[in-house]
Amino acid sequence: MKYLITGATGLIGNNTVRQLLAQGEQVRVLTRQKTPLVELDGLNVEICHGDIRDAASVQTAVRNVDCVIHAAAHVQVGWTQQKLHQQVNVEGTRNVAAAACGQKVRLVHISTINTLGLGSLANPANEETGQPGLVPCHYATSKADAEKVVQQFIDRGLDAVIVHPSFSLGPWDWKPSSGRMFLAVNRGTVVAPSGAYNVSDVRDVSAGIAAAAKLAPTGRRYILGGHNLSYLDAWRAFAQASGKVGPRFRLGPIARCVASVGTDLWTRYTGIEGGVNSASLGIGSQETCFSSQRAEKELGYRIRNLKETVTDAWNWFCEHGYVDHHRSHVGRAAASFLP
């Protein structure tokens, strides 16, 4: 089969490219960058230049492929950049779905577990049982709107599947994305958010995406997750990769309230919103725990040991120079609490 992958320089997209190539598939990528891409260096891929916000370039990229894997998204957890989230996550998805539908090409739309709501550590949710109440930042709401767009095209005849990855760690996190949190924890912290979430290995997620492209019936949804953990336990596991102890305390409600007010005031007066703000702090106090049982049963999805995931992620960052100089990559904020 021949695949088009959007968002091929991101964590999930890049690992999916590598997963498909390892399976002997042909891969085309759609990218805005016209300079050599380190993320794709040495990979046997066809590069198509364009932007998912430009319908014409998307139509061109979709020609003569069998399946589109739509991984491109704008991810920023907070209360700013609403317009950009709308343009990329919603209208960009509309362009991709329209092209796939018009050319009768299968679509695997990569969403997020956060569109499914909340699931407790004691009782993880599945694709249908998530509870409402997740802090409605623009990223989460735009991804939910993007799913509605895909469903509208499914109703018109599009052959599409939606997958919901959780917070993913692993190699090939060039930007980095989820790795920002991982690196920040390994820099040292004594306090962790009070909530819980699901941590997956991006290699498991990319294998699940490839399986969904081949096996999933039209309209089916799959959670591609991993281990449900409190942030405290997860961050301690992250810290152990570099031989550190990790945080000792959970962030209490009073401290969270003070931090939320302070960071939002900073945004208001400077116009700059960091990764730590009232939205990310609020999400960090919630529980977003989910089960991947459907994907395990129907797609053969497998979840590897958390220690392997954390160790391999740490080794990749070390080998690629992110550890000695990661402050320049991470910035001042610890990163968001969304996948």
Side-chain angles (χ1 to χ4, degrees):
M1 290 178 65
K2 186 169 185 176
Y3 292 81
L4 169 69
I5 300 183
T6 71
T9 61
L11 175 61
I12 291 177
N14 199 244
N15 274 273
T16 302
V17 169
R18 296 169 189 274
Q19 175 72 223
L20 291 171
L21 290 175
Q23 294 179 5
E25 307 291 2
Q26 294 179 286
V27 176
R28 175 188 295 166
V29 303
L30 177 64
T31 175
R32 292 176 297 163
Q33 301 180 51
K34 295 188 177 182
T35 55
L37 302 172
V38 64
E39 299 93 337
L40 302 173
D41 188 36
L43 299 181
N44 184 23
V45 298
E46 176 188 349
I47 296 178
C48 184
H49 296 295
D51 192 317
I52 62 169
R53 293 172 292 183
D54 175 45
S57 67
V58 174
Q59 290 281 349
T60 299
V62 171
R63 288 175 190 157
N64 301 317
V65 301
D66 302 297
C67 180
V68 178
I69 296 178
H70 180 40
H74 178 62
V75 183
Q76 189 274 342
V77 179
W79 306 113
T80 62
Q81 303 182 31
Q82 181 179 17
K83 183 177 180 180
L84 189 55
H85 278 106
Q86 177 72 22
Q87 291 173 339
V88 176
N89 297 348
V90 183
E91 298 310 317
T93 296
R94 192 184 310 278
N95 290 336
V96 172
C101 187
Q103 299 185 42
K104 301 187 184 306
V105 171
R106 163 158 271 218
L107 171 66
V108 178
H109 175 66
I110 301 177
S111 189
T112 166
I113 60 167
N114 295 101
T115 62
L116 300 175
L118 303 174
S120 70
L121 191 57
N123 186 26
N126 61 30
E127 289 82 357
E128 278 78 42
T129 61
Q131 298 299 305
L134 184 79
V135 174
C137 68
H138 298 315
Y139 169 68
T141 56
S142 67
K143 292 294 284 185
D145 289 342
E147 288 182 25
K148 294 175 183 177
V149 169
V150 173
Q151 186 59 54
Q152 290 169 359
F153 278 95
I154 290 174
D155 294 341
R156 301 178 197 174
L158 174 64
D159 176 16
V161 179
I162 299 174
V163 297
H164 302 266
S166 68
F167 178 90
S168 299
L169 287 176
W172 316 113
D173 193 359
W174 295 98
K175 295 190 186 303
S177 55
S178 301
R180 289 180 296 160
M181 179 190 292
F182 181 76
L183 291 170
V185 169
N186 277 281
R187 188 171 62 193
T189 178
V190 297
V191 63
S194 59
Y197 67 147
N198 186 284
V199 180
S200 60
D201 189 300
V202 69
R203 295 165 294 186
D204 297 337
V205 170
S206 62
I209 291 167
K214 295 178 175 70
L215 302 175
T218 300
R220 197 67 161 157
R221 295 172 177 266
Y222 295 95
I223 293 168
L224 303 179
H227 303 274
N228 292 309
L229 302 159
S230 69
Y231 279 96
L232 183 63
D233 288 341
W235 284 22
R236 284 175 174 170
F238 295 174
Q240 289 173 4
S242 61
K244 295 184 173 65
V245 175
R248 294 175 174 82
F249 311 103
R250 290 182 173 88
L251 186 67
I254 296 176
R256 184 174 68 249
C257 181
V258 171
S260 295
V261 172
T263 54
D264 285 357
L265 284 174
W266 171 264
T267 300
R268 180 180 301 177
Y269 286 109
T270 65
I272 301 171
E273 186 174 51
V276 177
N277 53 64
S278 62
S280 63
L281 288 166
I283 290 170
S285 70
Q286 298 182 306
E287 294 190 353
T288 51
C289 299
F290 288 85
S291 167
S292 302
Q293 187 174 16
R294 176 185 291 176
E296 292 178 81
K297 180 179 179 180
E298 298 182 12
L299 303 178
Y301 186 70
R302 294 291 180 265
I303 299 170
R304 71 188 69 198
N305 183 276
L306 180 65
K307 184 176 181 180
E308 179 185 350
T309 299
V310 171
T311 300
D312 289 352
W314 177 252
N315 289 338
W316 188 88
F317 283 124
C318 289
E319 291 167 4
H320 289 80
Y322 288 80
V323 173
D324 290 340
H325 307 288
H326 71 270
R327 293 193 184 195
S328 63
H329 294 279
V330 179
R332 296 177 62 184
S336 73
F337 303 131
L338 282 178

